[in-house]
Amino acid sequence: MTMIGRTYLERGHPVVVLARWGTGGGPRNVLIRRADGTLTIRPFRGLRRPKTTDRDAA
């Protein structure tokens, strides 16, 4: 399962995962791009998938 390029929610705001790294058992850090264009490294933990609607699934 790849998460690169996927959109997640950070405190209700969309972010795009650009890169990820970390060992299998340790914290998994990701590089994200926020809507304002800033790049930030943060733990993947806490990012949530946006809820899909019927229109999104089609």
Side-chain angles (χ1 to χ4, degrees):
M1 176 183 96
T2 181
M3 62 180 72
I4 307 302
R6 285 194 176 178
T7 301
Y8 290 87
L9 296 177
E10 176 189 42
R11 289 183 239 131
H13 300 286
V15 298
V16 177
V17 174
L18 302 176
R20 71 179 183 145
W21 61 93
T23 59
R28 191 165 306 276
N29 293 325
V30 291
L31 173 65
I32 61 170
R33 181 178 54 228
R34 293 188 172 125
D36 64 1
T38 58
L39 300 177
T40 304
I41 297 171
R42 61 154 288 150
F44 181 73
R45 182 177 179 166
L47 296 180
R48 302 289 181 243
R49 290 295 308 251
K51 294 186 178 185
T52 59
T53 62
D54 292 335
R55 188 179 71 207
D56 293 339

